[in-house]
Amino acid sequence: MLDIKNLHVHFTTHQGATVEVLKGISLTIEDGESVAVMGANGSGKTTFARCLNGLLLPTQGEVLVDGLSTQDSEQLQEIRRRFGMVFQNPENQIVSVTVEREIAFGLENLAVPHDEMHAIVDEMLRKFNLESYRDHPPHLLSGGEMQRLALAAIMAMRPRTLVFDEPTSLLDSATRSLVLELVGELQQEAAAKAPMTAIFITQIPEEALHFDRLIVLSEGAVLVDDTPATAFSRVDEMQQAGVPVPVEFAMKRHLEDTSGDKSVFDVSDFHEWLRRRAP
């Protein structure tokens, strides 16, 4: 469980000014939850993500991971063992000379026995459709393949929580869909053993619909914490905060405004209609 208490983060500029990036965020995220995080540029999304596993320490407040505080240096290694982070640009986290070695890297740091390590690497290569790239240098992979490799390397360590910092922003729509499918599959598979929490930062509203909970940040504070459908129904509030909404929610609001009828159609029905019309 993640327990975030009154989280503040301040930075000091070169000119000596203080910039308040996060302003008193308090949240609880239970084991196994599926959470999307949205917000305009500068709303504090990445800063929030980096506070969760101690990559960034708060100016004030506390983050507890299963009761362990990120501000306790003696507990950071255990916290990071339970956490996996997938960044926007996979090149920033890939460190090895071959695909196989990249997946094995974290396992070696955890001192996983050799035979078990080989079995896990083979499983990840198969799961993420990277078997034919086993001996390839990662920098020769496509953007989508590198993102799958980054995800495979993190998942090999069996983290209890996965945090994705806009991992699909550099990908095409087909690869974005694949990444979302993999996240869902990983949570389902983990549920049989131990719940895996997924926290997915995105600027694409259609991606947020894949998650059970949506947290919207605005100017460093929580603006909305609800189901995606309920959050996106607050069209004006979301748009004023610089957060886009899926087309069906915006269209519903437009039709309501022009017709005066507040029950023009049910969003879920319209979403199904759009899906059926898709090629």
Side-chain angles (χ1 to χ4, degrees):
M1 183 178 77
L2 290 174
D3 197 4
I4 301 153
K5 301 179 178 181
N6 194 32
L7 190 66
H8 290 260
V9 174
H10 303 164
F11 292 120
T12 302
T13 68
H14 292 300
Q15 291 75 33
T18 298
V19 178
E20 194 173 11
V21 182
L22 298 181
K23 304 173 183 177
I25 293 177
S26 294
L27 294 165
T28 297
I29 299 176
E30 301 288 347
D31 292 343
E33 276 203 84
S34 169
V35 182
V37 179
M38 295 187 69
N41 288 334
S43 61
K45 301 186 301 296
T46 293
T47 299
F48 173 72
R50 290 174 182 268
C51 285
L52 296 182
N53 74 338
L55 286 176
L56 183 65
L57 297 180
T59 309
Q60 179 183 336
E62 190 173 29
V63 176
L64 297 174
V65 180
D66 299 329
L68 305 176
S69 174
T70 62
Q71 291 178 299
D72 186 339
S73 59
E74 294 183 357
Q75 296 178 339
L76 274 179
Q77 183 175 356
E78 175 60 22
I79 288 172
R80 289 170 182 167
R81 188 184 68 80
R82 302 181 188 203
F83 255 87
M85 289 198 70
V86 179
F87 296 98
Q88 182 179 41
N89 188 343
E91 292 183 6
N92 292 340
Q93 67 186 94
I94 292 174
V95 297
S96 301
V97 295
T98 69
V99 167
E100 181 179 44
R101 293 296 304 162
E102 180 64 25
I103 297 174
F105 179 77
L107 299 172
E108 291 175 337
N109 289 336
L110 294 175
V112 173
H114 196 262
D115 290 346
E116 183 181 349
M117 184 189 309
H118 272 285
I120 294 173
V121 169
D122 288 345
E123 177 191 354
M124 292 298 115
L125 288 169
R126 183 175 63 257
K127 183 183 295 292
F128 291 93
N129 196 24
L130 292 168
E131 290 174 292
S132 60
Y133 301 104
R134 180 186 293 268
D135 298 318
H136 279 49
H139 72 274
L140 296 181
L141 300 177
S142 69
E145 290 161 350
M146 275 197 285
Q147 196 60 282
R148 295 209 310 272
L149 173 58
L151 185 53
I154 292 297
M155 278 309 303
M157 295 184 286
R158 303 291 197 268
R160 293 183 58 177
T161 301
L162 266 175
V163 179
F164 303 83
D165 188 3
E166 298 190 46
T168 64
S169 61
L170 303 178
L171 305 179
D172 58 44
S173 59
T175 309
R176 287 201 301 268
S177 296
L178 176 61
V179 170
L180 288 167
E181 288 174 12
L182 286 170
V183 174
E185 290 174 8
L186 292 169
Q187 277 204 290
Q188 288 180 0
E189 291 175 8
K193 301 175 183 177
M196 187 191 82
T197 305
I199 301 170
F200 198 95
I201 296 174
T202 181
Q203 297 205 55
I204 302 173
E206 289 74 17
E207 291 185 349
L209 290 171
H210 288 260
F211 296 83
D212 298 328
R213 179 179 176 185
L214 174 59
I215 295 168
V216 178
L217 300 183
S218 177
E219 298 181 351
V222 175
L223 176 69
V224 177
D225 182 2
D226 214 320
T227 65
T230 302
F232 287 132
S233 295
R234 297 160 64 171
V235 175
D236 289 345
E237 191 173 1
M238 298 285 272
Q239 291 180 339
Q240 287 171 7
V243 179
V245 301
V247 61
E248 60 267 37
F249 289 83
M251 187 175 291
K252 181 181 192 303
R253 177 55 187 271
H254 174 71
L255 292 175
E256 288 175 347
D257 287 346
T258 55
S259 69
D261 184 356
K262 296 302 181 183
S263 58
V264 175
F265 56 77
D266 182 83
V267 166
S268 61
D269 291 341
F270 182 59
H271 197 254
E272 176 65 15
W273 178 80
L274 284 176
R275 188 189 65 78
R276 290 177 179 175
R277 286 178 58 88

